[in-house]
Amino acid sequence: MWNPKAECLPREELEELKLERLKNTVRHVYENVPFYRRKMDEAGVKPEDIRSLEDIRHLPFTTKEDLRENYPFGLFAVPLKDVVRIHASSGTTGKPTVVGYTREDIEVWSEVMARTLGMVSASSEDVVQIAYGYGLFTGGLGVHYGAEKIGCTVIPTSGGNTKRQIMLMRDFGTTILCCTPSYACYLVEVMAELGVSPRELKLRAGLFGAEPWSEGMRREIESNLGIEALDIYGLSEIIGPGVAAECLCKEGLHIWEDHFLPEVINPATGEPLPPGEEGELVFTTLTKRGFPVIRYRTRDISFLLPEPCACGRTHVRMGRVKGRTDDMLIIRGVNVFPSQIEEVLLSLGYTEPHYLLVVDRERRLDVLEVWVEVSESIFRDEVRGLEELEEKIRREIEAVLGIAVKVRLVEPKTIQRSEGKAKRIIDRRDLR
Amino acid sequence: MSVKQISVFLENKSGRLAAVARLLASRGINIRALSIADTSDFGILRLIVDRPEEAYRALKEEGFTVSLTDVLAVAVPDRPGGLAPALEALSEANLNIEYLYAFVARHADQALVLLKVDDRERAVKVLEEAGFKVPSPEEIYSL
């Protein structure tokens, strides 16, 4: 355990700490972020109205749209000179959602990631291979700072180049692997092809997240690699990876409550739900200075498990994320909204585009196929013209999403029409 | 002098071509010539029929992606070496052929070549100057 004192803090003290930090955060955003001040004024709440943790329900929610409307730095609570890092995730309308960290925030992030790595007792003896993407995506650097804080030997391989990943894993004696679960499965396959046996590796544990996965996948990864495979949870709007993590009991993910205050609400009414009931996860950051968020609606569906855990940690657990309240897809760790595809088609002069996203798992890797109906407005009488169109759509989509896709031109009415909301997604991956 | 060709977008899956043929049959439309250009995923069916406008509407109503394309028809002698001079004439005039297909006419000893070229009017002139007959659309539809 990385920080036994904090992780096993008696509930009573934890509640006190949370309340004190909530009050501070609310005052901080009220004083420094015009957006929050306006929303709170409209709702008729003042920072001093927050007297108990329950009072949080008087505060307005924050959504991804709010982040987008305040692009790029509108929700930062400190001047840019105090921000030492910026991350961003791809947006639905070309504008990414931007988050910023002060030096103290990076320290908090490193702390919660160190606790997360502590779930498998990571120490300075460990060699940690980080195959999450580095860059604007929070995955790579988030895990990186946590592992360095512990003093692990960090191998920042980032994503891709699978053969090299395996070579380094073997030659450098990697003990802990961090990547998306689907990539872990893919590594297993490529290892088999290369004739590399897990027995040649020193791998003992893996922290897998950034996309939903199943118990079945866990069993496969664990038995094929002979390791402990744990689920980790996070999102850039809150901090990145390190919001919650499974302990070795593998019965839910501990949310680091001294830094992130969770709620589960009914997504339709916004009403808080009692513990154990399934709904939308909502987080309020308690210690962040640069980019604090109040009641951020994650759109992730889960539930809270308040019962004490056998591992001794007192922090509440959340169940595995079961799905989304919106139509967001997570493909190889990347968030994909059907509306992004629509934007691309519209920008190419395709009026009223009919399209479908077909997600499958081929050879353990998520593949995204975009079916586009060929209407008269885009039809050309020449094969070359259509192939160019296909290629253009593919390039534009890849530029927006940042992941490889296959575009398939299909006949009109191939894609099922439905009353009301169009069905834009077929997900053939078995994630349950 | 342009011949109306029907172009239909078809996915590469069984029964699609048959569906087009069946539909045209049900309207009593006669196919004079056809060709398919295909890739691994899709194909473009090109048809010359006796009543192009009607065929276009019928296919459209049935939900096919369809367009009317202007192509050029030229008659060449039905014997070895019949086609080459026509293509050479176009090539010398720097006219690009996007695609072509041909069929042999039933009664005359001639073959008909259908071409999509970048400059149709000039191609007609070039071919006629080279001594080839460019049949009228009506002649083609009623063959």
Side-chain angles (χ1 to χ4, degrees), chain A residues 87-124:
Chain A
H87 281 285
S89 62
S90 76
T92 54
T93 52
K95 288 272 173 69
T97 49
V98 185
V99 296
Y101 304 74
T102 63
R103 200 172 295 285
E104 296 74 32
D105 294 338
I106 296 284
E107 189 43 50
V108 167
W109 196 7
S110 308
E111 162 69 20
V112 290
M113 258 326 296
R115 291 186 199 172
T116 298
L117 284 150
M119 292 300 198
V120 292
S121 310
S123 73
S124 56

Side-chain angles (χ1 to χ4, degrees), chain A residues 64-350:
Chain A
K64 198 168 182 82
E65 287 68 41
D66 294 327
L67 267 59
R68 208 174 298 128
E69 280 163 21
N70 289 281
Y71 174 89
F73 307 140
L75 296 185
F76 285 18
V78 298
L80 206 57
K81 70 175 172 60
D82 295 333
V83 171
V84 299
R85 176 96 63 78
I86 284 173
H87 281 285
S89 62
S90 76
T92 54
T93 52
K95 288 272 173 69
T97 49
V98 185
V99 296
Y101 304 74
T102 63
R103 200 172 295 285
E104 296 74 32
D105 294 338
I106 296 284
E107 189 43 50
V108 167
W109 196 7
S110 308
E111 162 69 20
V112 290
M113 258 326 296
R115 291 186 199 172
T116 298
L117 284 150
M119 292 300 198
V120 292
S121 310
S123 73
S124 56
E125 305 291 322
D126 280 296
V127 178
V128 179
Q129 184 162 339
I130 302 170
Y132 285 114
Y134 278 66
L136 284 176
F137 176 55
T138 48
L141 283 166
V143 180
H144 185 106
Y145 274 61
E148 276 197 0
K149 186 180 174 74
I150 294 173
C152 306
T153 307
V154 178
I155 316 173
T157 48
S158 195
N161 208 338
T162 307
K163 284 184 185 170
R164 193 183 63 183
Q165 298 269 6
I166 293 165
M167 182 184 82
L168 299 185
M169 201 182 298
R170 186 183 55 193
D171 299 349
F172 294 0
T174 300
T175 57
I176 297 172
L177 171 67
C178 302
C179 62
T180 61
S182 59
Y183 193 63
C185 290
Y186 184 64
L187 281 170
V188 169
E189 269 205 4
V190 178
M191 275 170 58
E193 276 169 27
L194 297 175
V196 175
S197 154
R199 280 187 299 276
E200 297 174 54
L201 308 177
K202 294 206 175 105
L203 208 59
R204 64 174 186 84
L207 297 177
F208 305 117
E211 66 183 17
W213 54 310
S214 63
E215 282 303 319
M217 277 173 80
R218 190 213 303 272
R219 279 192 297 273
E220 250 191 81
I221 296 171
E222 290 192 331
S223 66
N224 282 320
L225 288 173
I227 63 170
E228 297 278 3
L230 300 183
D231 190 12
I232 65 171
Y233 175 83
L235 61 165
S236 66
E237 295 91 330
I238 303 306
I239 202 157
V243 174
E246 273 183 332
C247 61
L248 288 171
C249 301
K250 298 171 192 168
E251 283 170 9
L253 298 83
H254 290 277
I255 297 167
W256 306 122
E257 273 184 280
D258 48 343
H259 295 288
F260 315 109
L261 196 160
E263 296 172 83
V264 171
I265 61 157
N266 175 332
T269 63
E271 282 304 307
L273 294 171
E277 265 188 55
E278 198 173 281
E280 181 180 340
L281 269 175
V282 170
F283 283 103
T284 300
T285 63
L286 296 177
T287 48
K288 271 170 76 194
R289 301 298 292 173
F291 187 86
V293 270
I294 302 291
R295 303 192 86 196
Y296 183 72
R297 295 188 62 160
T298 63
R299 304 284 173 192
D300 284 327
I301 296 168
S302 185
F303 56 93
L304 296 178
L305 283 155
E307 295 78 20
C309 181
C311 74
R313 290 179 183 83
T314 50
H315 295 236
V316 72
R317 287 168 290 162
M318 58 180 258
R320 267 176 189 280
V321 171
K322 289 214 172 146
R324 301 272 307 169
T325 64
D326 59 13
D327 52 6
M328 187 181 88
L329 278 167
I330 302 180
I331 297 167
R332 278 175 262 152
V334 173
N335 299 349
V336 173
F337 290 92
S339 55
Q340 289 174 299
I341 309 293
E342 186 158 323
E343 290 283 335
V344 167
L345 295 173
L346 287 169
S347 76
L348 292 174
Y350 186 174

